[in-house]
């Protein structure tokens, strides 16, 4: 799943490519992906792009028609850019392409979604705040949205595990499963630590880890074409998705905890004082 740094990379790429261009085509082939009906998708055609912004993990293409094309790539969605948009007919139901947008210099992009569980979401709105997922977003960890004290205030009183707090879009916008693993590893903190119980020093460490991890990842994503962003993300990961590999900091083996539909990774030596975290899936079976 693309998270804030990849979405930021896509936003910067699109901004450089499409600002000032007119939309000549907007077709949806996966009807379920389009979450709004008024204004219609066709209202985009003929408008000029005035800017591209990010809200959490949402991309927002603004046009001079006062209409925004907003989308969220979810778990298996991606953007495929074309300098020359194919003219082939898209057959609904037989393609990973959910949405195709073309511009007046013959360029364009597809939003694609792999897999059977479709959750890519497209919204045509007059104001991005009409998108429920944007309206309830917490502050952005970069772009000056949050400082150390505001971060501490967000954690205070939350008797929930820090891993879940970091991923909760209504608390902090843009961090998902992968970067929360990376942030906790950089902060040398257990994913199961309770947010409310962190000491001031731990909050300092976590805040610094969050800002530096995301800043580095955004820098790594910057200037890369969409096709390269996924690999860049994978390469930058120290523990996430690296179960069984050696921790780059201490050499211990990176471990996983499995949940119903995902997993988290951590280094026992760096993060839990050498203790192995219980595998939730397994311990449930053993009960
Ligand atoms: Zn380690």
């Amino acid at each position: 799943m693309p998270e804030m740094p990849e979405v930021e990379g896509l936003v910067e790429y699109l901004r450089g490519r499409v600002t000032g261009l007119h939309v000549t085509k907007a077709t949806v082939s996966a009807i379920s992906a389009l979450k709004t009906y008024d204004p219609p998708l066709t209202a985009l055609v003929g408008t000029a792009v005035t800017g591209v912004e990010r809200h959490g993990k949402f991309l927002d293409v603004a046009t001079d028609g006062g209409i925004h094309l907003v989308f969220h790539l979810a778990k298996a969605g991606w953007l495929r850019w074309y300098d020359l948009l194919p003219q082939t007919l898209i057959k609904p139901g037989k393609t990973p392409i959910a949405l195709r947008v073309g511009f007046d210099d013959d360029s364009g992009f597809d939003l694609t979604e792999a897999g059977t569980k479709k959750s890519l979401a497209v919204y045509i709105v007059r104001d991005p705040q009409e998108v429920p997922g944007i309206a309830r977003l917490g502050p952005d960890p970069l772009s000056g949205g949050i400082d150390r004290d505001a971060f501490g205030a967000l954690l205070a009183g939350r008797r929930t595990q820090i891993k879940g707090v970091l991923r909760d879009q209504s608390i902090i916008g843009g961090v998902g499963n992968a970067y929360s693993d990376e942030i906790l590893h950089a902060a040398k903190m257990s994913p199961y630590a309770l947010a409310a119980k962190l000491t001031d020093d731990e909050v300092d460490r976590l805040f610094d880890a969050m800002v530096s991890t995301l800043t580095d990842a955004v820098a790594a994503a910057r200037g890369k074409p969409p096709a390269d962003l996924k690999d860049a993300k994978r390469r930058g990961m120290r523990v996430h998705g690296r179960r069984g590999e050696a921790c780059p900091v201490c050499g211990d083996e990176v471990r996983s905890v499995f949940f119903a539909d995902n997993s988290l990774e951590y280094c026992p030596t760096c993060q839990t004082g050498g203790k192995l975290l219980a595998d939730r899936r397994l311990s449930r079976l053993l009960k």
Side-chain angles (χ1 to χ4, degrees), residues 185 247-252 267-270:
H185 178 255
C247 167
V249 172
C250 73
D252 192 4
C267 167
T269 296
C270 290

Side-chain angles (χ1 to χ4, degrees), residues 13 33 37 66 123 163 183 193 217 231 234:
Y13 184 85
Y37 57 91
Y123 308 81
K163 169 81 180 172
I183 290 165
D231 275 348
R234 225 171 277 133

